[in-house]
Amino acid sequence: MSTHQPKAAKGGNWRAPAMFGALAVLFILEGTVSNAMFSGHWDNALGILRVGLISAILALGVNIQWGYAGLFNTGVVGFLALGGLAPVLIAMPPTEGAFAAGGWGILFAFAVAIVTLIVAITLFNRMQGKLRGWVVTAVLILGFAAYRSLFDPAVAAIQAINPAATGYLGGLALPTLISWPVGMALAAGAAWIVGKTALGLRSDYLAIATLGIGEIIVAILKNEEWLARGVLNVNGIPRPWPVPYETDLQQDPGFVARAASFGLDPMIGSTILVKLLYIALFVAVLALLMGAAQLALKSPWGRMMRAIRDNEVAASAMGKNVTGRHLQIFILGCTVLGLAGAMMISLDGQMTPSSYNPLRYTFLIWVMVIVGGSGNNWGAVLGGLLIWFVWIKAGEWGPLLMGIVATGLSEGSVKEHLLDAAPQMRLVIMGAILLLVLRFSPRGLLPEK
């Protein structure tokens, strides 16, 4: 037995390189082969890879929660959106006159709300009997009335300032890279609040609670126009260093000459260079996260977390603070989700709260983790890159596949229905991949060791 196990482990070590090698081949085919399956444009391949790296970071954040501790967080979209708020608050220029008009009023309103909650909690803990409920209720009602009396006029004053273009507080005009740790902090703070209230629930109730909380966060961002313009969107968010704008490169004689030396049109060359710089930046962030995640997983802390995941009762009997460790890992995972949210908004250059939907930013991320292999950080990265590639290409493969299916059918309602349903083939393809992986490799393409 002692001689057989090392051979199995040695052979198993080839699985991850083989999987990532096959993934690299897909991207190479996308950039070089032009047919019905692949575009043959490196610009398109790099664009998929760029967002795929952010998806890998999202999958890593979910894997930290589920793979390490078995926490079923279905509110990924909410923490992602909170991270996306950070570039608006940090990188955008402040709206002239907005803070003077209503900023102080909003701060005072929040101060009143915090004091009200502290007083209500203190009274609830110190008082006894039936009177306690009446007193706490009265404090909450009075505090809410005072909060609204300060908050509503301040919001109206801010939104009245050039509502067509601004109508919100704006930001601090700081470098966009600073917003990334701020996004992590925003998501971590929300995770602490959510965790303190929801982590005592059973796993299925935790999933329902986090799903609802995630939708509440998105709803707040959609409706609070003073914060990030709501559904009016914030455009023109600056790019992170060192990524330039394509127009600036195209007007640079030195870059035009270098692009010509490679036989590239300046427009194509500038687009490719910008995407390469984004990819380099995202790879650096992912590498740092992976290094930290791997060290944590192999540390005594990581072994403790997996022991809690496998048997909470036994871990609790051994003196481990299960709820405290769950809160810790929940915050860590949401912190990574917040970072990915800030990176995504920095990439898009705009904040569009209406684009945050659970299908794309929660359930697709879970498919990435399940397909890649929960509990394995490399599996999460593989799943993020692979599933995002297939998700994008399935939008092109679906109509092609449906056209083949409908070829032998006569003109009529059935054929028209199949062709009209072609865009939905993306969901069918995702479902088929998930079923195949669960059937033939239930622990994912790269199982936990």
Side-chain angles (χ1 to χ4, degrees):
M1 183 177 293
S2 61
T3 57
H4 174 70
Q5 285 182 344
K7 291 181 179 179
K10 185 177 180 180
N13 290 337
W14 287 99
R15 186 164 185 168
M19 290 291 179
F20 279 100
L23 181 63
V25 170
L26 286 177
F27 280 99
I28 292 172
L29 291 175
E30 176 65 20
T32 58
V33 176
S34 179
N35 55 26
M37 297 290 290
F38 302 102
S39 67
H41 297 291
W42 278 111
D43 179 62
N44 194 45
L46 294 176
I48 297 174
L49 177 60
R50 186 175 56 173
V51 183
L53 290 169
I54 298 179
S55 298
I57 293 174
L58 283 169
L60 186 61
V62 172
N63 184 62
I64 288 174
Q65 296 174 335
W66 173 251
Y68 289 19
L71 298 180
F72 193 20
N73 177 15
T74 57
V76 174
V77 64
F79 300 102
L80 180 79
L82 272 178
L85 178 64
V88 177
L89 301 179
I90 300 300
M92 291 298 292
T95 300
E96 186 176 354
F99 194 84
W104 288 111
I106 289 177
L107 290 178
F108 287 144
F110 286 158
V112 168
I114 293 172
V115 170
T116 300
L117 290 175
I118 293 174
V119 171
I121 293 172
T122 303
L123 291 174
F124 183 84
N125 291 331
R126 293 187 177 182
M127 295 182 66
Q128 300 292 332
K130 295 182 179 180
L131 184 62
R132 180 175 66 175
W134 289 104
V135 171
V136 171
T137 301
V139 168
L140 291 175
I141 292 174
L142 292 174
F144 180 75
Y147 164 78
R148 298 301 300 192
S149 66
L150 293 169
F151 184 77
D152 291 343
V155 168
I158 292 172
Q159 293 179 355
I161 299 176
N162 191 13
T166 53
Y168 75 116
L169 279 173
L172 301 176
L174 296 175
T176 303
L177 282 179
I178 296 178
S179 69
W180 293 9
V182 173
M184 297 170 69
L186 289 175
W192 183 84
I193 296 173
V194 173
K196 293 293 286 185
T197 57
L199 284 181
L201 300 173
R202 206 172 62 189
S203 59
D204 48 353
Y205 292 119
L206 175 64
I208 296 172
T210 51
L211 177 62
I213 291 168
E215 288 301 303
I216 289 171
I217 293 173
V218 173
I220 291 174
L221 292 179
K222 288 181 179 179
N223 290 282
E224 299 299 328
E225 295 182 8
W226 63 272
L227 184 61
R229 299 203 73 208
V231 294
L232 298 177
N233 305 336
V234 176
N235 300 308
I237 297 175
R239 290 179 174 177
W241 180 88
V243 182
Y245 287 92
E246 289 85 352
T247 53
D248 295 338
L249 291 174
Q250 294 163 15
Q251 296 172 3
D252 181 1
F255 173 80
V256 173
R258 286 192 295 272
S261 66
F262 287 99
L264 293 175
D265 179 82
M267 293 183 63
I268 297 176
S270 62
T271 302
I272 291 177
L273 178 59
V274 165
K275 290 182 177 178
L276 286 173
L277 289 173
Y278 267 121
I279 289 170
L281 185 59
F282 293 167
V283 166
V285 173
L286 180 59
L288 289 174
L289 289 175
M290 276 296 297
Q294 287 294 94
L295 288 174
L297 184 63
K298 297 177 180 179
S299 68
W301 176 86
R303 291 191 291 271
M304 176 190 67
M305 292 307 307
R306 282 179 287 179
I308 293 175
R309 177 198 65 187
D310 295 337
N311 194 326
E312 291 186 12
V313 176
S316 180
M318 295 177 66
K320 304 301 181 183
N321 184 354
V322 174
T323 302
R325 299 289 75 78
H326 278 174
L327 178 61
Q328 187 181 61
I329 202 72
F330 188 75
I331 293 174
L332 288 174
C334 290
T335 300
V336 176
L337 297 178
L339 171 61
M343 294 169 64
M344 186 170 293
I345 292 301
S346 302
L347 172 63
D348 295 339
Q350 61 180 0
M351 176 64 167
T352 55
S354 59
S355 66
Y356 291 111
N357 64 83
L359 175 63
R360 163 67 182 92
Y361 294 114
T362 294
F363 299 108
L364 187 62
I365 308 304
W366 272 100
V367 172
M368 295 174 181
V369 174
I370 294 170
V371 170
S374 63
N376 188 329
N377 293 321
W378 288 107
V381 173
L382 175 69
L385 291 169
L386 176 62
I387 294 301
W388 180 249
F389 181 91
V390 176
W391 176 261
I392 293 298
K393 296 304 296 180
E396 304 171 11
W397 296 341
L400 174 65
L401 180 61
M402 198 60 74
I404 295 174
V405 172
T407 300
L409 299 176
S410 59
E411 296 294 333
S413 59
V414 175
K415 184 174 183 178
E416 291 177 0
H417 176 74
L418 289 175
L419 294 177
D420 290 341
Q424 306 305 320
M425 284 299 295
R426 167 183 280 174
L427 302 178
V428 176
I429 292 173
M430 287 292 105
I433 291 174
L434 185 59
L435 288 174
L436 288 172
V437 170
L438 290 176
R439 171 61 182 84
F440 296 103
S441 184
R443 296 175 61 201
L445 297 178
L446 295 180
E448 179 184 6
K449 295 182 179 179

